Amino acid sequence: MTIIAENATLLLAMACVFGFFMAWGVGANDVANAMGTSVGSKALTVKQAIIIAIIFEFAGAFLAGGEVTATIRKGIIDPSLLTDTPELLVYGMLASLLAAGIWLLVATYFGWPVSTTHSIVGAIVGFAAVGISMEAVAWGKVGTIAASWVVSPLLAGTFGFFTFMSVQKLVLNTKNPFDAAQRYVPMYIFLVAFLISMVTMVKGLKHIAAFKALQLSFLQDAMISAGIAVVVTLIGISMLRKIKLDPSENKDFHFTSVEKLFGVLMMFTACAMAFAHGSNDVANAVGPLAAVASVVSSGGEIGAKSVMPAWILLLGGGGIVAGLVMYGHKVIATVGTNITELTPSRGFAATLAAAGTVVLASGTGLPISTTHTLVGAVLGVGIARGIGALNLRVIGTIFMSWIVTLPAGAGLAILFFFLFKGIFS
């Protein structure tokens, strides 16, 4: 208790710096995964993708990021075992943030698309199991999280497979694909807009006092979301009408004009994926930061529940934006072009599937990995075209980087935990 009281300002400052560093790593590595399909399909340039990501990643982190943070902060460690030694929790969370941030920096430098969720969960489990005791880790909760790492790519892959199959059936395999795309792409735009609007209304905006005071029912949320989706769809239709069928550009690739229509749709799915990613993965950075802030501000008391301060979400969102602007381009190529050849229609199916999975997880508080989800979605789309469409060597490299992430995060966290314990004790 006295250690926390004597070093309160320093510990909180360190938590803010390490939390921002971790959020920077999320932006540099995971945001590239979120935007990779848009760039890989050439629906967006790198510059356009980064501008979209800045706006919607930050919005997702700030408006809807408070839902997942509780699982990262309270679910993995049993707080009752640390009641008499709250400083150990502070050291551990600081060590976890720094360890995960360093690993993400290394992985991004080499262009490896690793999981930020893997990084932070592995770090927290590592310091808790070795630095405190094996009983301090809620292994049942860790098992649930580990299961989600398998479930999320399978779920996203299934979504991606059937979404692209619907595109093939409704558009690409018809007698007149261009007319069919003009007819069905607005339906897809409505689906994307409604999905994101609904989650924002039900889960995201409840963190803002003005919206909380309105006390809207689920049906009212749905009606408002449908209205927003209609407006977005009308904007999309006006953009689609500007694209005309040009037979000359379809000589080499039969669907060139059709893919232009899906390119418009990719702009909407890119926004959806960026919002979904921001809302889910900001927890990896601000969860441990919120834990430190809660313990320090209460003078060493480990509360069962604490409110997520807006300034912490602001710091997390700012860190994500800084990372994607400064270093986000490194991993975009790996995910966007090397797993399978993407066109706007394939990229749309993968991004919609990944966004739906991530938003669903954010709403239920399950900390999934965006990397696993997006790779699963891209694999699903590739499988829909046949196994030969996949680059199995690149997929194998990605899987290996996932396996290395857990022990790397845990090992670094254990090292930093005992370092901080030695410095402050």
Side-chain angles (χ1 to χ4, degrees):
M1 295 289 189
T2 54
I3 294 174
I4 292 176
E6 291 170 0
N7 301 282
T9 304
L10 177 59
L11 291 171
L12 187 57
M14 289 173 66
C16 290
V17 172
F18 295 165
F20 187 87
F21 178 47
M22 172 62 187
W24 186 95
V26 173
N29 197 288
D30 256 17
V31 171
N33 299 337
M35 304 305 294
T37 50
S38 304
V39 177
S41 65
K42 295 182 174 61
L44 296 172
T45 65
V46 173
K47 185 177 180 180
Q48 289 170 333
I50 286 177
I51 291 172
I52 288 175
I54 288 172
I55 297 168
F56 287 92
E57 287 278 348
F58 186 83
F62 187 69
L63 295 178
E67 191 69 24
V68 171
T69 51
T71 310
I72 291 290
R73 188 171 73 252
K74 299 194 301 290
I76 300 171
I77 301 174
D78 182 2
S80 63
L81 297 177
L82 296 167
T83 306
D84 298 327
T85 54
E87 66 274 9
L88 295 184
L89 177 65
V90 174
Y91 303 153
M93 290 302 177
L94 290 174
S96 298
L97 286 171
L98 185 57
I102 288 175
W103 171 244
L104 288 175
L105 177 61
V106 171
T108 305
Y109 176 79
F110 288 106
W112 300 334
V114 299
S115 166
T116 56
T117 308
H118 260 126
S119 303
I120 195 68
V121 170
I124 291 174
V125 170
F127 97 79
V130 176
I132 303 171
S133 71
M134 292 293 286
E135 290 74 31
V137 180
W139 293 106
K141 177 63 72 173
V142 173
T144 303
I145 294 171
S148 77
W149 296 333
V150 178
V151 170
S152 57
L154 286 176
L155 186 61
T158 304
F159 280 171
F161 178 85
F162 285 108
T163 302
F164 186 64
M165 291 296 285
S166 76
V167 171
Q168 285 187 316
K169 183 175 178 59
L170 296 176
V171 179
L172 300 180
N173 293 341
T174 59
K175 288 183 178 179
N176 194 329
F178 187 81
D179 289 345
Q182 288 276 17
R183 189 180 310 119
Y184 288 108
V185 167
M187 178 188 74
Y188 288 123
I189 293 176
F190 180 89
L191 181 64
V192 172
F194 179 79
L195 174 70
I196 300 302
S197 299
M198 193 63 188
V199 171
T200 306
M201 294 292 294
V202 174
K203 295 294 181 182
L205 298 181
K206 74 175 187 178
H207 301 290
I208 301 174
F211 285 92
K212 193 185 294 184
L214 292 175
Q215 293 183 324
L216 297 174
S217 67
F218 185 85
L219 181 60
Q220 288 172 317
D221 287 333
M223 291 173 64
I224 293 171
S225 297
I228 293 171
V230 168
V231 173
V232 173
T233 304
L234 291 174
I235 295 171
I237 290 172
S238 69
M239 295 171 69
L240 293 173
R241 284 177 177 169
K242 294 177 182 177
I243 300 174
K244 303 300 180 183
L245 179 62
D246 183 2
S248 63
E249 67 182 5
N250 293 330
K251 288 179 181 178
D252 296 326
F253 180 55
H254 183 55
F255 299 113
T256 301
S257 297
V258 175
E259 293 295 354
K260 281 188 175 182
L261 298 175
F262 277 97
V264 172
L265 184 53
M266 277 296 289
M267 284 191 280
F268 292 98
T269 52
C271 297
M273 188 59 192
F275 183 92
H277 177 266
S279 67
N280 190 76
D281 277 36
V282 72
N284 295 329
V286 302
L289 170 55
V292 174
S294 175
V295 173
V296 170
S297 62
S298 63
E301 182 182 342
I302 300 177
K305 198 169 185 178
S306 61
V307 179
M308 173 61 64
W311 69 267
I312 290 182
L313 288 174
L314 200 62
L315 185 142
I320 287 177
V321 167
L324 75 93
V325 170
M326 295 169 66
Y327 223 38
H329 62 90
K330 291 282 287 186
V331 187
I332 281 179
T334 303
V335 174
T337 60
N338 295 345
I339 296 175
T340 188
E341 184 185 355
L342 291 177
T343 61
S345 59
R346 298 169 198 159
F348 150 72
T351 312
L352 179 62
T357 305
V358 173
V359 166
L360 180 68
S362 181
T364 56
L366 185 65
I368 63 165
S369 162
T370 312
T371 308
H372 290 200
T373 303
L374 188 80
V375 170
V378 173
L379 286 174
V381 171
I383 290 171
R385 298 170 54 226
I387 197 72
L390 300 174
N391 188 331
L392 298 179
R393 183 181 61 81
V394 171
I395 293 167
T397 303
I398 290 173
F399 285 165
M400 284 302 297
S401 72
W402 291 356
I403 294 170
V404 172
T405 295
L406 271 172
L412 286 170
I414 293 166
L415 176 68
F416 290 129
F417 173 76
F418 286 109
L419 177 65
F420 293 143
K421 187 177 179 182
I423 290 172
F424 286 101
S425 299

